[in-house]
Amino acid sequence: MKFKKVEQQDIAFLKSIIEKDRIFTEEEISEDFSRDELAGMRNMPEVLVEPISTEETSKIMEYAYEQNIPVTPRGQGTGLVGSAVALYGGIMLNMSRMNNILELDEENLTVTVEPGVLLMELSKFVESNDLFYPPDPGEKSATLAGNINTNAGGMRAVKYGVTRDYVRGLELVLPNGEIMEVGGKIVKNSSGYSLKDLIVGSEGTLGIVTKATLRLLPLPKKTISLLVPFHKLETAIETVPKIIKSKNVPTAIEYMVKDTILSAEEYLGKEFPDKTSDAYLLLSFDGNSKEEVEKSYEVVADICLEAGAIDVLISETQERQESIWSARGAFLEAIKSSTTEMDECDVVVPRNRIAEFVKYSNELKDEFDIRIKSFGHAGDGNLHIYVLRDDLAEDVWKDKLDKVFQKMYDRARELKGQVSGEHGIGFAKKNYLEESLSVDAMTIMRGIKKSFDPKGVLNPGKVS
Amino acid sequence: MKFKKVEQQDIAFLKSIIEKDRIFTEEEISEDFSRDELAGMRNMPEVLVEPISTEETSKIMEYAYEQNIPVTPRGQGTGLVGSAVALYGGIMLNMSRMNNILELDEENLTVTVEPGVLLMELSKFVESNDLFYPPDPGEKSATLAGNINTNAGGMRAVKYGVTRDYVRGLELVLPNGEIMEVGGKIVKNSSGYSLKDLIVGSEGTLGIVTKATLRLLPLPKKTISLLVPFHKLETAIETVPKIIKSKNVPTAIEYMVKDTILSAEEYLGKEFPDKTSDAYLLLSFDGNSKEEVEKSYEVVADICLEAGAIDVLISETQERQESIWSARGAFLEAIKSSTTEMDECDVVVPRNRIAEFVKYSNELKDEFDIRIKSFGHAGDGNLHIYVLRDDLAEDVWKDKLDKVFQKMYDRARELKGQVSGEHGIGFAKKNYLEESLSVDAMTIMRGIKKSFDPKGVLNPGKVS
């Protein structure tokens, strides 16, 4: 791809439409903007701009499109596959300043937000209004636009689905700078191809999200969590399809092992309620009354005990539940802080195949003599598996990582799974995506990209 | 568009791969296959073929693509916008013979079906297994692939969402004949652009659905319906945002007026439980216990009474509920049988704007001196408004219809609504779609079509 480098006249143009203190060049740009959370690839943008409106974003994009300068939109940089890295330099748009919650519409049960609103801010806001935004990824400091662009799933996907299910409408700036609205406050829509659903999960390659209208639910009045210790991880995970089959669908079903819990305790400096066992399922249930929730969890507790659980620890108070779930939310950081470098595999498989996949990844640990840690969404088949570098030399690390990943993605394909459950493709997983899809599917995806972005200037080098 | 006409050699090819008794030409083709339910446009296919497998479908499509012969896939022909009409002749694929329920997977809560399975068969099957497929359009004899291709919504969208929310995976035959799978039994997916969500609602223009894996829920143990009479339709509909705002979300909220009920009684030859009032809301609630359901509907009943409802009639028995809902399901047929010809407007608006839209369509009735009937999904903002020809002369009818529709679609746009809530665009609503979307959106949609179907042979003349 041949792009134009950013020159003095381009900076001058940006300064003519954006206040100077929101434009950064060279050493003014923090190193943070060269990478995302996993930092598997780094590259500095030539200029960093912080728009505060759709109109500014549109003007910048229009100019960049004309001039053939690549543009990379970025939220909080919490991604794990490099979607927000300016691979080809150019202009980076830090959308974080557009962080207003614009409207709560209680008659339509929607909330409209700017792209930079953080997930944790949104949750707090809607819950204070007795409403509920179900998507609940571990990383609460991600932006909503980031969540939309990866179609983030999170813990509650078992019962409530993923981000796509909660996006009603979007305002976008297209690669040519035009502003487009898709969807709206409407509940149904069959008006042509669903561009809204195409934007969700497109990792900032088809348009820049400048506004989002999200669907809300009434806040469940009662939530309860079960921490269920098992002697063995396999026994724990093999219990999951039995729970699903019982038709008592929990809100969330996570799995975890003792040493991840210990890492999280160390990382957070907080005690986890139980760490006597090797493996755990963590479940939550919600509903509108104690009786309703009890009815479900009692059945599930019995299934767990019958399947070999050592105990079932019930957490009813908000405080106690928060202590457990905040530990769960810190697993990624805790594992990361235990090693020098790591990479992750975020495959999703049918939920009755998870046990098989986890077992396989444990075998790889021995086969390749490398540390592999995993935790994840047992209830929805989405695993987060981390391969850790520790003190391996660069070439040994790359070689082992490639081999381990290749085996994992091959196995996921055999199990009728997909490359990414919720973290996306970015550039880090492009090869695995290409391997997992047909030639036709890749050709179609590239055609779609071209339909939105004929010159390929928006977030180039990602996804397809 | 220039397509090749079907010639003897093409028929000979079809006969070489498909049994003769599943190939029909000329007068062997029933007139039914020239049209859909509303029959706004008719055209006969040159040859009608009934494939019984994905492989047969693939071979036919591959041949047609090479030969530049248009192909129109069709289910039960229950559509209302002409998506399944062979506008350019060519080959029609009647997918109705592929009507097997292939697999119920209770560990993943999915069911896999062939495209021609009818909605009513699926409901019956899953419910007999204590499971639930929520999408519930009025037309129960539509095929699942038809529902998928229009992203059908139906009554329960208020609580449960639309067909797209229940499609986990699809097998498709692409325009070039290749077989492609998108999605799977997986719960989450962020692996490139979501082709699955693009196919849903694409009205058979991007690929032919040959298999679908659908998400199921546990069957709610208790359902209750409320029939709520009001003196005036406006009062009834204005109650809906108040219900939504109360955070007690019903499963369904329909509105209806007395003369539609009378038409349905006549059409079905069955008594409706109440027809003393001019307007009604029909609500349903579901849950896992009597207490849970009661708690919700009691709050909502009070809101209705406070808002001016005359009474609240509770239906608890399955028999009584079925008598009400089957009347609701027959409204389209009942209105249709009361006139010579009709056309429908299926706009969707934010749910707090429905009262405004219904009021406006009543004004148009007087302004244009034409019969207009409406009923619809008050809880999700999706209206079904029928303009009736009665004994108007052809030119007067066309003129009035055009003017009335233009005003309705203009108003829907002003209210931030969309052209179609669930019936799709087909060819009947193409102009209105083009008016309602930006030039960029239409260009992108045409680009998407081209990415799937560079020669434009699959269901030409529809959607974009």
Side-chain angles (χ1 to χ4, degrees):
Chain A
M1 266 175 276
K2 258 300 201 214
F3 295 112
K4 179 174 158 328
K5 286 276 150 201
V6 175
E7 293 167 31
Q8 275 317 310
Q9 71 215 47
D10 303 318
I11 305 288
F13 170 81
L14 291 171
K15 285 186 175 160
S16 76
I17 55 165
I18 308 267
E19 289 161 318
K20 279 193 209 88
D21 62 349
R22 293 188 280 113
I23 301 176
F24 306 87
T25 55
E26 300 179 10
E27 62 279 5
E28 292 163 4
I29 306 175
S30 155
E31 183 271 342
D32 285 353
F33 292 94
S34 72
R35 59 178 182 84
D36 66 7
E37 182 71 22
L38 269 197
M41 170 80 171
R42 291 164 195 250
N43 201 50
M44 287 298 270
E46 293 161 77
V47 55
L48 174 71
V49 186
E50 300 182 343
I52 54 170
S53 71
T54 303
E55 290 62 37
E56 283 187 359
T57 310
S58 161
K59 279 182 195 161
I60 300 167
M61 195 68 238
E62 185 186 5
Y63 180 82
Y65 189 76
E66 273 167 17
Q67 298 292 321
N68 208 35
I69 300 171
V71 172
T72 308
R74 187 184 193 272
Q76 287 294 320
T78 59
L80 301 168
V81 293
S83 301
V85 176
L87 275 190
Y88 294 88
I91 301 168
M92 173 166 280
L93 294 180
N94 176 5
M95 304 302 287
S96 296
R97 284 204 193 217
M98 290 179 67
N99 63 355
N100 296 298
I101 296 176
L102 299 173
E103 186 205 25
L104 179 71
D105 181 342
E106 296 198 73
E107 289 185 344
N108 287 301
L109 290 188
T110 57
V111 64
T112 300
V113 298
E114 288 187 330
V117 170
L118 305 187
L119 179 60
M120 58 188 174
E121 287 166 358
L122 180 72
S123 303
K124 216 169 105 183
F125 172 75
V126 300
E127 287 175 24
S128 73
N129 284 283
D130 212 18
L131 289 164
F132 184 43
Y133 178 70
D136 185 37
E139 178 59 82
K140 316 297 181 205
S141 64
T143 65
L144 262 302
N147 275 199
I148 291 165
N149 269 299
T150 53
N151 187 25
M155 329 278 184
R156 302 187 192 119
V158 187
K159 178 168 176 180
Y160 289 105
V162 296
T163 300
R164 175 175 286 114
D165 302 316
Y166 295 88
V167 178
R168 289 254 191 256
L170 295 172
E171 180 190 78
L172 300 168
V173 170
L174 291 173
N176 66 6
E178 289 290 324
I179 299 165
M180 181 168 86
E181 282 180 39
V182 293
K185 283 185 182 175
I186 48 175
V187 173
K188 292 171 167 174
N189 196 5
S190 298
S191 310
Y193 306 140
S194 185
L195 303 185
K196 185 264 285 177
D197 289 291
L198 201 50
I199 299 297
V200 176
S202 67
E203 304 184 40
T205 63
L206 303 181
I208 302 170
V209 172
T210 50
K211 205 189 280 181
T213 297
L214 305 169
R215 168 191 177 207
L216 301 174
L217 298 182
L219 185 66
K221 292 181 181 63
K222 181 80 191 164
T223 303
I224 209 161
S225 297
L226 303 185
L227 186 64
V228 188
F230 286 84
H231 288 297
K232 274 179 64 186
L233 179 60
E234 279 166 42
T235 323
I237 298 182
E238 280 164 5
T239 309
V240 175
K242 295 174 192 163
I243 296 171
I244 302 292
K245 211 171 166 175
S246 81
K247 295 163 187 148
N248 288 277
V249 179
T251 306
I253 314 177
E254 300 288 308
Y255 78 87
M256 53 192 71
V257 293
K258 190 199 274 181
D259 72 332
T260 311
I261 293 171
L262 296 177
S263 303
E265 276 192 332
E266 199 183 317
Y267 179 78
L268 292 172
K270 279 185 193 165
E271 286 260 329
F272 196 75
D274 186 277
K275 54 207 170 192
T276 52
S277 300
D278 280 344
Y280 293 85
L281 287 184
L282 171 58
L283 300 100
S284 73
F285 294 83
D286 63 18
N288 283 324
S289 70
K290 195 163 182 269
E291 300 71 43
E292 184 192 335
V293 175
E294 268 176 9
K295 218 178 267 180
S296 278
Y297 85 68
E298 279 168 4
V299 177
V300 173
D302 286 345
I303 292 171
C304 290
L305 290 169
E306 251 171 64
I310 300 167
D311 198 354
V312 173
L313 311 167
I314 300 165
S315 300
E316 287 211 61
T317 64
Q318 206 182 342
E319 199 187 344
R320 196 173 158 97
Q321 291 190 66
E322 265 173 21
S323 82
I324 301 179
W325 286 97
S326 68
R328 164 61 187 87
F331 283 173
L332 169 64
E333 289 295 335
I335 293 175
K336 196 178 153 196
S337 73
S338 82
T339 187
T340 53
E341 190 180 342
M342 66 183 195
D343 205 346
E344 67 121 29
C345 166
D346 155 60
V347 291
V348 58
V349 296
R351 40 194 165 187
N352 61 346
R353 312 306 289 270
I354 313 172
E356 232 171 305
F357 198 90
V358 171
K359 196 172 158 220
Y360 184 67
S361 69
N362 279 335
E363 287 165 18
L364 292 176
K365 189 159 62 178
D366 299 333
E367 185 181 339
F368 288 90
D369 187 26
I370 192 162
R371 279 211 300 154
I372 295 177
K373 301 265 178 191
S374 82
F375 59 87
H377 311 298
D380 59 38
N382 180 209
L383 300 142
H384 298 323
I385 301 178
Y386 298 85
V387 184
L388 312 187
R389 178 171 173 181
D390 296 337
D391 51 7
L392 292 176
E394 177 79 15
D395 55 339
V396 181
W397 158 240
K398 289 280 170 212
D399 182 57
K400 286 196 182 197
L401 180 66
D402 276 358
K403 285 178 179 151
V404 169
F405 266 15
Q406 192 63 56
K407 292 210 163 201
M408 283 188 192
Y409 287 106
D410 286 350
R411 177 54 66 99
R413 215 157 54 237
E414 283 164 29
L415 298 176
K416 295 265 180 192
Q418 296 283 346
V419 172
S420 170
E422 57 180 0
H423 294 162
I425 300 303
F427 65 81
K429 310 299 177 196
K430 277 175 74 175
N431 290 346
Y432 303 115
L433 183 71
E434 185 135 16
E435 283 174 13
S436 81
L437 299 180
S438 66
V439 174
D440 287 289
M442 291 306 296
T443 306
I444 290 168
M445 286 191 192
R446 285 171 191 140
I448 290 170
K449 167 68 176 171
K450 207 152 191 175
S451 306
F452 281 82
D453 186 9
K455 293 173 82 170
V457 296
L458 183 59
N459 210 1
K462 317 291 170 62
V463 184
S464 62
Chain B
M1 266 174 276
K2 259 295 198 222
F3 295 113
K4 181 176 158 325
K5 287 275 148 200
V6 174
E7 293 167 31
Q8 276 317 313
Q9 72 215 46
D10 303 318
I11 305 288
F13 171 81
L14 291 171
K15 287 187 174 160
S16 76
I17 55 166
I18 309 268
E19 288 161 319
K20 280 193 209 88
D21 63 349
R22 293 190 278 113
I23 301 176
F24 306 88
T25 55
E26 302 179 8
E27 61 280 4
E28 294 164 3
I29 305 176
S30 155
E31 183 271 343
D32 286 351
F33 291 94
S34 71
R35 59 179 182 83
D36 67 7
E37 181 70 21
L38 270 197
M41 171 82 174
R42 290 163 194 252
N43 201 51
M44 288 297 272
E46 294 162 75
V47 54
L48 175 71
V49 186
E50 300 182 343
I52 53 171
S53 71
T54 302
E55 290 63 37
E56 283 187 359
T57 310
S58 161
K59 279 183 194 161
I60 300 167
M61 196 68 239
E62 185 185 6
Y63 180 82
Y65 189 77
E66 273 168 17
Q67 298 291 322
N68 208 36
I69 299 171
V71 173
T72 308
R74 187 186 194 272
Q76 286 294 321
T78 58
L80 301 169
V81 293
S83 302
V85 176
L87 275 191
Y88 295 87
I91 300 169
M92 175 167 277
L93 294 181
N94 176 5
M95 305 301 288
S96 297
R97 285 202 192 219
M98 291 179 65
N99 62 356
N100 295 299
I101 295 174
L102 299 172
E103 186 205 26
L104 179 72
D105 181 342
E106 297 199 76
E107 289 184 343
N108 287 301
L109 290 189
T110 58
V111 64
T112 300
V113 298
E114 287 187 331
V117 171
L118 305 187
L119 179 60
M120 58 189 175
E121 288 166 358
L122 180 71
S123 302
K124 217 170 105 183
F125 172 76
V126 300
E127 287 175 23
S128 72
N129 284 282
D130 211 18
L131 289 164
F132 184 43
Y133 178 70
D136 184 35
E139 178 59 83
K140 315 297 180 204
S141 65
T143 64
L144 262 303
N147 275 200
I148 291 165
N149 270 299
T150 53
N151 186 26
M155 329 279 186
R156 300 188 192 119
V158 187
K159 179 168 176 179
Y160 290 105
V162 296
T163 300
R164 175 176 286 115
D165 302 316
Y166 296 88
V167 179
R168 288 253 192 257
L170 295 172
E171 180 190 78
L172 301 168
V173 170
L174 291 173
N176 66 5
E178 289 290 324
I179 299 164
M180 181 168 86
E181 283 180 39
V182 292
K185 283 185 181 175
I186 48 175
V187 173
K188 290 171 168 177
N189 196 4
S190 299
S191 310
Y193 306 140
S194 184
L195 303 184
K196 186 263 284 177
D197 289 291
L198 201 49
I199 298 296
V200 176
S202 68
E203 304 184 38
T205 63
L206 304 181
I208 302 170
V209 172
T210 50
K211 206 188 281 181
T213 297
L214 305 168
R215 168 191 176 206
L216 301 174
L217 299 182
L219 185 65
K221 292 181 181 64
K222 182 79 191 162
T223 303
I224 208 159
S225 297
L226 303 185
L227 186 64
V228 188
F230 286 84
H231 288 296
K232 275 178 63 185
L233 179 59
E234 278 166 42
T235 323
I237 298 180
E238 280 165 5
T239 309
V240 175
K242 296 172 190 162
I243 297 171
I244 301 293
K245 212 170 165 176
S246 81
K247 292 159 190 155
N248 288 277
V249 180
T251 307
I253 314 177
E254 299 288 307
Y255 78 88
M256 52 192 71
V257 293
K258 190 199 272 181
D259 73 331
T260 310
I261 293 172
L262 296 177
S263 304
E265 277 192 332
E266 199 184 317
Y267 179 78
L268 292 173
K270 279 186 194 165
E271 288 259 331
F272 196 76
D274 186 276
K275 54 204 170 195
T276 52
S277 300
D278 279 345
Y280 294 84
L281 287 184
L282 171 58
L283 300 100
S284 73
F285 294 83
D286 63 17
N288 283 324
S289 70
K290 197 162 180 271
E291 300 71 43
E292 185 191 335
V293 175
E294 267 175 7
K295 218 179 269 180
S296 279
Y297 85 69
E298 279 168 4
V299 177
V300 172
D302 286 345
I303 292 171
C304 290
L305 291 169
E306 251 171 64
I310 301 166
D311 199 356
V312 173
L313 310 168
I314 301 165
S315 300
E316 288 211 60
T317 66
Q318 206 181 342
E319 200 187 344
R320 196 175 158 96
Q321 292 191 65
E322 265 173 22
S323 81
I324 302 178
W325 286 98
S326 67
R328 165 60 189 86
F331 283 173
L332 168 64
E333 288 294 337
I335 293 175
K336 195 178 155 197
S337 72
S338 81
T339 188
T340 52
E341 190 179 342
M342 67 183 194
D343 206 346
E344 68 119 31
C345 166
D346 155 62
V347 292
V348 60
V349 295
R351 42 192 164 189
N352 61 346
R353 312 308 288 272
I354 313 172
E356 234 171 304
F357 198 89
V358 171
K359 196 173 159 221
Y360 183 68
S361 69
N362 279 335
E363 289 165 16
L364 292 176
K365 189 158 63 178
D366 299 333
E367 184 182 341
F368 289 91
D369 187 27
I370 192 161
R371 281 211 299 154
I372 295 177
K373 301 265 177 190
S374 83
F375 59 87
H377 310 299
D380 59 37
N382 180 207
L383 299 143
H384 298 324
I385 301 179
Y386 297 86
V387 184
L388 311 187
R389 176 170 174 181
D390 296 337
D391 49 9
L392 292 177
E394 178 78 15
D395 55 339
V396 180
W397 158 241
K398 289 280 171 214
D399 182 58
K400 287 196 181 199
L401 181 67
D402 276 359
K403 285 177 178 152
V404 169
F405 267 15
Q406 192 63 56
K407 291 209 164 202
M408 283 187 192
Y409 286 107
D410 286 350
R411 178 53 66 98
R413 213 156 57 236
E414 284 164 28
L415 298 176
K416 296 266 180 190
Q418 296 283 347
V419 173
S420 170
E422 57 181 359
H423 294 163
I425 299 303
F427 65 82
K429 309 300 177 197
K430 276 177 73 176
N431 290 345
Y432 303 115
L433 183 71
E434 185 133 18
E435 282 174 14
S436 81
L437 299 180
S438 66
V439 173
D440 287 289
M442 290 306 296
T443 306
I444 289 168
M445 285 193 192
R446 287 173 190 138
I448 289 170
K449 167 69 176 169
K450 206 153 193 172
S451 306
F452 280 84
D453 185 9
K455 293 174 82 170
V457 297
L458 183 59
N459 209 2
K462 317 294 169 60
V463 184
S464 62

